[in-house]
Amino acid sequence: MKNFRGQCHCGAIAFDYSTALPPGDWPIRACQCAFCRAHDALSTSDTAGTLIFTATVPDYLQRYRFAMKTADFLLCRNCGVYIGAVIDTANGCFGIINTHALETTPVDIAAVAAMNYDQEDKSGRVSRREDRWTPVQQSPDKD
Ligand SMILES: [Zn+2]
């Protein structure tokens, strides 16, 4: 497994994403929802990887929920950067990273695939995230 670190612009919130997948094999998903388009967010995850979110300045961590409100989208209140999202389910905690928040974008990172999840119902959305997102080992306490 190789670790990839990312953080918001001011460094208040960060992630460590560990995966054995070479960047050329990463799924890179451009969700077409209004939030992800506004942030130009590109998501990736690995069901066999691990993900840790940290907040060196906890007061700057903003958890944002919208639409079906099943996941927390993690933003920095200070610099505005969106770094990733987490969902807590009966089966655990799972997350994605925004690859645009990586400290260094791998030169051989895979091509982007546009995704549209508009047809999902709530249980389908949760199940898809459980099946596809990265197990989260640690994330900052909720307010
Ligand atoms: Zn910040």
Side-chain angles (χ1 to χ4, degrees):
M1 297 253 276
K2 190 173 172 196
N3 187 65
F4 297 86
R5 187 167 175 82
Q7 62 179 25
C8 68
H9 186 256
C10 74
I13 60 175
F15 62 73
D16 285 289
Y17 174 54
S18 291
T19 178
L21 291 174
D25 291 340
W26 290 7
I28 304 292
R29 298 183 290 264
C31 173
Q32 296 300 298
C33 84
F35 176 89
C36 289
R37 285 190 296 105
H39 283 276
D40 196 22
L42 294 179
S43 301
T44 197
S45 55
D46 174 9
T47 56
T50 62
L51 183 53
I52 292 172
F53 286 105
T54 52
T56 55
V57 187
D59 284 351
Y60 286 166
L61 173 63
Q62 177 70 49
R63 294 174 177 268
Y64 176 58
R65 289 196 166 201
F66 57 98
M68 297 179 191
K69 298 185 167 60
T70 57
D72 288 340
F73 288 73
L74 308 179
L75 300 122
C76 178
R77 283 178 193 158
N78 188 42
C79 69
V81 171
Y82 159 62
I83 65 164
V86 294
I87 187 169
D88 276 304
T89 80
N91 296 310
C93 185
F94 306 90
I96 49 170
I97 63 162
N98 176 11
T99 63
H100 281 155
L102 287 165
E103 277 182 346
T104 306
T105 301
V107 290
D108 55 342
I109 197 167
V112 173
M115 310 297 284
N116 191 310
Y117 306 113
D118 285 350
Q119 302 308 310
E120 287 177 334
D121 62 11
K122 190 167 182 175
S123 67
R125 180 152 301 175
V126 171
S127 296
R128 187 241 316 154
R129 288 169 170 166
E130 288 176 336
D131 291 346
R132 193 176 287 176
W133 286 16
T134 308
V136 171
Q137 290 186 326
Q138 179 190 320
S139 68
D141 289 341
K142 293 178 183 175
D143 295 331

